[in-house]
Amino acid sequence: MTLHLMGSVLSPFVRKARIVLDEKGIDYHLEPVVPFMAPDSFTDLSPLRRVPVLKDSEIDPDWALPDSSAICSYIERKYPMPALYPTAAADYGRALWFEEYADTEFSNIIGQSIFRPALVQVLLGEAPDLELAEKTFQEVLPPYFGYLERSLASQTYFVGDQFSIADISLAVHFQNLRLAGFEIDAAEYPGLAAFIDRLLTRQSFTKCFGEEIAFLEQQGYRSNRSK
Ligand SMILES: N[C@@H](CCC(=O)N[C@@H](CS)C(=O)NCC(=O)O)C(=O)O
């Protein structure tokens, strides 16, 4: 096993890298690392002190990739099959756009204003802020869901109707919403809801999900949200 991935199972970016590895059938070692509890030396590997970080024992010991997009592109180049990035230029560009969209503002809203207040605060022994999480879900996220519903149209996958990095990058955040107790309304967003169910029941996702639930149970976590 040459690949060593560092990060927490609850991170959507760690999950994104794990799913890319799993979809390609590549073995790796996962080292649990919580960025804000990591030693000072972690900065040498990840200057922004973020996870995931990938190391590869076939390369120099100082070599590290501290970003999920860099990691996934590296994995694709090193292990091309099955391809997770479209070949045609137009589709490739669109897939990178959805990856970027998922990784930046969309992730930031879910991470900071739903996942953290509803779930992470409980893990840290603090009171959850369910009002903030609920308000964000009801009032801030709908335009994002609407954009994704329109982009998907009647396709199975986001780009070229082929499973790709675009789908993985988006779906990992819906898994965090689900862990925090939030599901989108299938009547309002039928295409997106079907997409989420399709993705989150893929073997690569359920494998991660099982480990994430086990981790949360080990921490004594139970969702505080009554649906
Ligand atoms: N663009 C980065 C984002 C990674 C990221 O924000 N990871 C979070 C965990 S979900 C983290 O390490 N946060 C710690 C911090 O920002 O201090 C990627 O795609 O890997």
Side-chain angles (χ1 to χ4, degrees):
M1 200 179 298
T2 74
L3 297 180
H4 184 93
L5 188 69
M6 302 165 82
S8 157
V9 291
L10 295 182
S11 159
F13 301 104
V14 172
R15 187 183 301 131
K16 178 183 158 195
R18 296 186 73 193
I19 285 165
V20 165
L21 286 160
D22 206 59
E23 288 283 344
K24 288 175 179 284
I26 301 159
D27 274 348
Y28 62 95
H29 176 253
L30 180 69
E31 179 188 347
V33 172
V34 178
F36 54 88
M37 290 162 83
D40 288 350
S41 58
F42 183 62
T43 310
D44 296 339
L45 295 173
S46 179
L48 301 175
R49 294 186 63 79
R50 292 188 183 140
V51 292
V53 173
L54 182 79
K55 300 187 81 178
D56 187 337
S57 64
E58 285 180 351
I59 307 177
D60 189 274
D62 293 334
W63 184 96
L65 288 179
D67 177 86
S68 70
S69 300
I71 292 169
C72 294
S73 299
Y74 170 73
I75 296 166
E76 177 80 1
R77 186 63 67 93
K78 187 167 179 183
Y79 307 96
M81 299 311 284
L84 293 176
Y85 290 72
T87 310
D91 286 347
Y92 178 70
R94 289 295 286 172
L96 294 187
W97 152 245
F98 283 114
E99 181 181 21
E100 173 67 9
Y101 181 77
D103 283 4
T104 52
E105 207 172 309
F106 189 60
S107 128
N108 208 32
I109 294 167
I110 294 172
Q112 296 305 317
S113 304
I114 296 187
F115 198 67
R116 172 170 264 280
L119 190 148
V120 176
Q121 285 181 199
V122 180
L123 292 183
L124 295 174
E126 298 166 16
D129 185 348
L130 296 179
E131 206 178 312
L132 170 63
E134 200 73 50
K135 197 172 156 63
T136 304
F137 188 73
Q138 301 300 344
E139 295 175 17
V140 180
L141 284 177
Y144 292 81
F145 296 154
Y147 170 66
L148 293 176
E149 177 75 21
R150 288 193 304 281
S151 301
L152 199 51
S154 55
Q155 298 185 124
T156 306
Y157 301 113
F158 271 88
V159 179
D161 229 7
Q162 175 202 336
F163 178 67
S164 77
I165 191 69
D167 306 302
I168 298 171
S169 304
L170 287 162
V172 291
H173 297 290
F174 286 97
Q175 188 137 313
N176 269 31
L177 282 178
R178 190 168 276 187
L179 286 173
F182 292 82
E183 295 281 347
I184 67 159
D185 181 354
E188 203 166 344
Y189 309 106
L192 186 58
F195 165 82
I196 294 165
D197 282 344
R198 196 177 304 124
L199 265 282
L200 299 197
T201 50
R202 277 180 92 90
Q203 197 261 335
S204 56
F205 274 83
T206 56
K207 193 173 153 210
C208 286
F209 203 49
E211 289 178 31
E212 293 157 18
I213 296 288
F215 174 80
L216 287 173
E217 281 173 1
Q218 204 180 36
Q219 304 290 314
Y221 172 81
R222 246 179 243 300
S223 173
N224 287 276
R225 186 169 181 258
S226 50
K227 281 187 227 154

